[in-house]
Amino acid sequence: MERSNQTLDNPLFIILPIGLPGTSKKGLIPLFERVCKTLGISFESISNDDTRNQAISQYLDLHKQGSKETAFQATRQKSTLTFDKYLKLKIEQSTENFKCLFIDKTHPPDAIKKAISIIRSIPRKNMKVIGLVPKCIKGYDLNRAEYPFSSSYILYCFGEYIKQKRYETDQESVATVALFLRLFENVDLGPSAMRWQGFDYTIYLPITVEKPGQDIVIDARFGKALHQIMKAPPSVKLHDTVLLTEVLDSINKMNHQFEVPSDETLEALILDEITKVAALFKGVKVPNIA
């Protein structure tokens, strides 16, 4: 049965998070959902973690002696392909009058082009792609390389990702975040660069409370070890537990207590931003926006 052109013309905006593992997207999703509900916009989030966990369960059913760690690595490619197909299906089947689809998946720079290509492959007239980027007052400089994130945000993500205790050791979690960070070397996430990438609009939200001139001073040993990890050739697997342990020990030693924005602050910011996103759909009336 063919979908009507009218169905594919219904306004849909897709939120694509960009940043590091440990950004705490799970905490943002209920706030986006609440704001959309207030405005009369349908909301749905789809999670890469759900797809990955299903693939891991299937792997372990077939490999009774396998470990969760082995399954986590073995299912990486399969779960990515499955999620991409699921994303396309969700876009095709979105028939609500006005909808927000939140992709619960962190996108490094090399995944942005692919994600936008998948989204744009669906012929929808009223569809917008919205970037979601951590708002940082100042970037991080490391050995002449620049990163678009503050030291506060970087350390926060290391700590949060380690605490999640997925299918990795603490050292492996450090390597995951470090290698993600490496992908953002000299990457511009400003509004103009994001438009060039194919985004219709970008939302910048603070993950940690930052004040001008008050960014965290990173331990020198941490910076040195992190630099060595990130400069390892991409083909080399990180088995150097000494470097990884140095980064981990430095994080524990600094033991920084991060101030994070309150839910009320974030919800007010999200309300303002979603109102701006809705205005991108010319001539479309959002139920609860005057």
Side-chain angles (χ1 to χ4, degrees):
M1 182 177 177
E2 293 185 2
R3 293 179 304 278
S4 68
N5 289 333
Q6 182 65 41
T7 297
L8 289 179
D9 284 350
N10 290 344
L12 168 70
F13 62 95
I14 300 168
I15 296 180
L16 214 71
I18 298 165
L20 302 178
T23 300
S24 299
K25 297 182 299 302
K26 289 286 190 292
L28 292 175
I29 290 173
L31 302 181
F32 273 90
E33 183 173 14
R34 196 151 62 223
V35 166
C36 286
K37 184 177 181 180
T38 297
L39 297 177
I41 297 172
S42 298
F43 179 89
E44 183 177 8
S45 66
I46 57 173
S47 173
N48 184 58
D49 289 344
D50 294 340
T51 305
R52 193 68 177 276
N53 290 335
Q54 185 178 16
I56 288 171
S57 295
Q58 292 172 348
Y59 179 92
L60 293 175
D61 285 343
L62 294 173
H63 303 82
K64 301 297 184 183
Q65 303 304 315
S67 66
K68 287 186 176 180
E69 292 77 10
T70 301
F72 183 75
Q73 298 301 328
T75 57
R76 187 184 301 273
Q77 184 175 9
K78 179 183 177 182
S79 62
T80 297
L81 292 173
T82 301
F83 183 80
D84 290 345
K85 291 179 181 177
Y86 184 54
L87 171 59
K88 290 181 72 172
L89 188 65
K90 279 295 178 183
I91 296 172
E92 290 174 338
Q93 293 181 345
S94 292
T95 58
E96 293 86 347
N97 185 47
F98 205 124
K99 182 173 181 177
C100 169
L101 180 63
F102 190 110
I103 302 178
D104 183 10
K105 178 181 181 181
T106 302
H107 294 80
D110 59 346
I112 294 173
K113 184 177 181 180
K114 177 188 172 187
I116 291 181
S117 176
I118 290 171
I119 293 169
R120 299 291 190 197
S121 70
I122 309 300
R124 293 189 70 109
K125 180 180 177 182
N126 276 337
M127 179 170 65
K128 307 292 183 185
V129 184
I130 311 300
L132 177 60
V133 174
K135 183 178 182 180
C136 299
I137 291 177
K138 182 182 177 182
Y140 177 53
D141 297 336
L142 180 64
N143 290 70
R144 299 179 186 174
E146 295 183 1
Y147 300 88
F149 307 123
S150 63
S151 56
S152 174
Y153 169 74
I154 291 170
L155 282 175
Y156 175 83
C157 288
F158 270 109
E160 288 300 304
Y161 191 72
I162 290 167
K163 283 193 291 186
Q164 288 173 14
K165 301 287 185 187
R166 299 183 175 228
Y167 303 105
E168 303 170 305
T169 64
D170 286 353
Q171 284 81 3
E172 288 170 337
S173 294
V174 166
T176 296
V177 179
L179 295 180
F180 248 80
L181 180 60
R182 175 168 69 180
L183 297 172
F184 285 95
E185 181 176 332
N186 299 323
V187 169
D188 184 358
L189 296 178
S192 296
M194 293 291 284
R195 283 194 296 272
W196 184 84
Q197 289 268 22
F199 290 93
D200 296 292
Y201 183 77
T202 303
I203 296 172
Y204 296 91
L205 282 185
I207 304 302
T208 58
V209 174
E210 300 182 13
K211 300 174 183 177
Q214 295 185 17
D215 201 10
I216 296 171
V217 177
I218 288 185
D219 180 77
R221 190 165 66 106
F222 171 91
K224 182 178 179 181
L226 181 61
H227 175 70
Q228 289 180 271
I229 292 169
M230 294 199 298
K231 288 304 176 184
S235 59
V236 175
K237 292 188 178 296
L238 288 170
H239 294 301
D240 192 340
T241 55
V242 175
L243 285 177
L244 296 174
T245 300
E246 278 193 17
V247 172
L248 185 61
D249 288 347
S250 295
I251 292 170
N252 292 332
K253 180 182 176 183
M254 285 183 275
N255 191 31
H256 190 80
Q257 300 299 311
F258 295 96
E259 183 182 356
V260 297
S262 67
D263 284 355
E264 291 77 12
T265 297
L266 287 171
E267 190 169 339
L269 291 171
I270 292 169
L271 176 61
D272 183 56
E273 293 294 339
I274 295 299
T275 301
K276 293 175 182 176
V277 169
L280 297 174
F281 296 89
K282 304 299 183 183
V284 176
K285 174 66 177 174
V286 181
N288 298 333
I289 295 181

